[in-house]
Amino acid sequence: MVDLKSQYEKIKSQIDERVLNVIESTAFINGPEVQNFQKELADYLGVKHVIGCANGTDALQVAMMALGLKPGDEVISVSFTFVATVEVIALLGLKPVFVDVEEGTFNMDVAKLEELITPKTKAIIPVHLFGQCANMEAIMNIAKKHNLYVIEDNCQAIGSTFKFSNGDVKKAGSIGHVGCTSFFPSKNLGCYGDGGAIFTNDDEVANRVRSVVNHGMTVRYYHDHIGVNSRLDSIQAAILSVKLKELDNYIKARQIAADFYDKAFENIEQLETPARYSQSNHVFHQYTLKLKNVNRAKLIEYLNSKEIPAMIYYPVPLHLQKAYVEFGNYKKGDFPITEELCDQVFSLPMHTELDEEQLKYITTAVVEFIKGI
Ligand SMILES: *Cc1c(COP(=O)(O)O)cnc(C)c1O
């Protein structure tokens, strides 16, 4: 699904030099590279504070801890996402409340949001799925009206932007009270191991996040509240600093590949190409299609037989997963769009190194299968 090796070859000399410098300096934890990268990412996103942490899952957990959410508080998020988002809600003793998604963008359906708000609701976590922003204007308006926090799960959409109706354009993850991201190797800005970050414009929240990721300390060995140990290490920060300079080029490469796919499939009625949401640019973490009247398992099997990877993100909605049904006595039929998507979607290879020959090979195989050639 990704080609990290070819991408590395192109930036190898810079990466190798920066990594070796960290090793020579032995500043492995919280070294200058971490401080430097946090500043660079803050500038790129247009936020005041970026705080590194160990992974995207921790970023979400730390955000909720830093905002002071307490057991029993309700947090609204989607069922059509990677499990991490909802896992950490449950882990903190908070109650995940699911909302359905929109058919076109696969993102939180804001029209169904307000009816789920109760006196216990404390936060909304929109997930910018597959590289496209949820409707942040509507979400921020609803949050403001009901005095709720908004935590953006920006693990899949770093570099994406959202355009407000007054013309303001902001980067994904910089709009809510807190933004969270992952630097897992296959993400749009990926490191060479695990990593994550939390962003905010709020000085107080930033201080609290810095303390939570460091065992709840502000003064060394004085623990004001319960924290965790979650760090972005200096080697990963050095790698990310090199790759951040390439991020906009990487996004462009993904968009070119997506355009190629779109064009190849435009007249195939069994394939619905990803909707492009007018208020957000799409950075294509995934290229995810909807299939109509096609045997998905057979299609994937056929593609795999031609050495083309294809994946289903995500085959089972979270509200029907064993671990999460109990949170609302959820059952089949509760979130029809989410359930329909889980049955219909499939994702094709999407990365920065796809060339025309590969794209032709992939699209030809897909079309051949569908037309029964
Ligand atoms: C990847 C991802 C995460 C978790 O990130 P990790 O770094 O793997 O912990 C959370 N939410 C979404 C939507 C993701 O895609």
Side-chain angles (χ1 to χ4, degrees):
M1 295 297 283
V2 293
D3 181 0
L4 296 173
K5 176 89 178 166
S6 307
Q7 192 192 60
Y8 166 61
E9 298 293 345
K10 292 178 184 158
I11 48 173
K12 183 176 175 351
S13 62
Q14 291 176 72
I15 295 267
D16 291 4
E17 188 189 333
R18 295 280 286 272
V19 168
L20 283 173
N21 280 345
V22 174
I23 297 171
E24 291 285 342
S25 77
T26 70
F28 299 117
I29 302 295
N30 246 323
E33 285 286 16
V34 175
Q35 303 306 321
N36 170 55
F37 171 67
Q38 289 178 162
K39 222 175 267 132
E40 288 173 349
L41 185 58
D43 288 345
Y44 176 85
L45 293 169
V47 290
K48 236 168 133 183
H49 306 278
V50 168
I51 300 117
C53 64
N55 54 64
T57 308
D58 275 8
L60 290 156
Q61 178 176 336
V62 166
M64 284 183 262
M65 291 172 78
L67 292 172
L69 303 192
K70 296 275 180 317
D73 288 350
E74 295 178 6
V75 178
I76 303 175
S77 194
V78 287
S79 174
F80 190 58
T81 179
F82 180 58
V83 67
T85 324
V86 170
E87 181 178 56
V88 288
I89 297 174
L91 205 58
L92 291 173
L94 314 170
K95 186 183 172 197
V97 175
F98 293 116
V99 59
D100 212 350
V101 293
E102 295 173 350
E103 199 144 11
T105 63
F106 313 150
N107 276 322
M108 181 173 276
D109 187 345
V110 295
K112 295 176 183 151
L113 195 52
E114 220 166 354
E115 67 200 57
L116 296 168
I117 296 171
T118 74
K120 286 187 174 169
T121 308
K122 290 286 150 46
I124 306 170
I125 308 189
V127 180
H128 304 317
L129 202 71
F130 302 150
Q132 199 165 222
C133 291
N135 184 346
M136 286 306 292
E137 182 155 8
I139 292 166
M140 292 311 290
N141 285 338
I142 292 169
K144 197 167 175 191
K145 186 170 151 197
H146 297 273
N147 201 21
L148 307 175
Y149 291 120
V150 175
I151 301 167
E152 293 175 77
D153 182 340
N154 195 30
C155 291
Q156 299 190 1
I158 198 157
S160 175
T161 54
F162 185 85
K163 191 171 179 192
F164 288 83
S165 50
N166 67 3
D168 279 1
V169 175
K170 287 189 181 170
K171 285 253 163 65
S174 74
I175 303 162
H177 300 89
V178 185
C180 298
T181 204
S182 163
F183 303 122
F184 187 80
S186 63
K187 305 281 171 162
N188 285 23
L189 178 61
C191 60
Y192 294 172
D194 273 309
I198 300 145
F199 356 115
T200 184
N201 283 310
D202 185 317
D203 298 346
E204 218 170 289
V205 172
N207 284 334
R208 185 91 178 187
V209 167
R210 286 189 190 100
S211 163
V212 171
V213 295
N214 191 25
H215 301 291
M217 283 196 285
T218 31
V219 179
R220 196 168 225 184
Y221 304 129
Y222 289 81
H223 307 275
D224 300 333
H225 41 87
I226 298 171
V228 297
N229 172 27
S230 190
R231 290 185 281 250
L232 179 68
D233 71 70
S234 305
I235 288 179
Q236 300 307 337
I239 291 161
L240 287 164
S241 172
V242 173
K243 290 187 71 176
L244 178 60
K245 293 183 185 70
E246 303 295 327
L247 180 58
D248 286 339
N249 293 330
Y250 289 162
I251 289 170
K252 181 110 337 115
R254 287 171 180 273
Q255 288 168 336
I256 289 170
D259 289 344
F260 190 100
Y261 281 140
D262 278 358
K263 201 152 174 34
F265 300 141
E266 70 185 344
N267 296 319
I268 313 289
E269 62 179 286
Q270 294 93 331
L271 291 175
E272 192 176 318
T273 56
R276 310 275 188 118
Y277 176 36
S278 60
Q279 281 163 279
S280 171
N281 67 336
H282 201 320
V283 297
F284 288 100
H285 175 57
Q286 299 297 346
Y287 186 87
T288 301
L289 299 124
K290 273 198 277 182
L291 289 172
K292 282 170 282 180
N293 304 315
V294 177
N295 184 324
R296 182 170 63 174
K298 287 245 162 66
L299 168 61
I300 290 175
E301 201 182 304
Y302 176 76
L303 294 175
N304 290 347
S305 77
K306 305 201 105 188
E307 285 174 25
I308 300 167
M311 295 286 287
I312 299 170
Y313 306 111
Y314 298 92
V316 182
L318 295 180
H319 70 277
L320 299 179
Q321 299 274 1
K322 262 191 211 154
Y324 299 103
V325 274
E326 61 173 293
F327 285 98
N329 290 314
Y330 291 115
K331 57 187 183 314
K332 222 174 156 64
D334 284 346
F335 304 104
I337 309 294
T338 294
E339 290 167 27
E340 183 188 273
L341 290 176
C342 289
D343 288 338
Q344 291 184 342
V345 292
F346 93 111
S347 302
L348 286 171
M350 174 48 76
H351 55 82
T352 59
E353 311 303 313
L354 284 164
D355 60 32
E356 207 161 302
E357 196 184 331
Q358 291 169 320
L359 289 163
K360 239 179 225 153
Y361 181 75
I362 296 165
T363 52
T364 304
V366 172
V367 172
E368 273 177 3
F369 178 85
I370 284 171
K371 292 196 166 163
I373 300 167

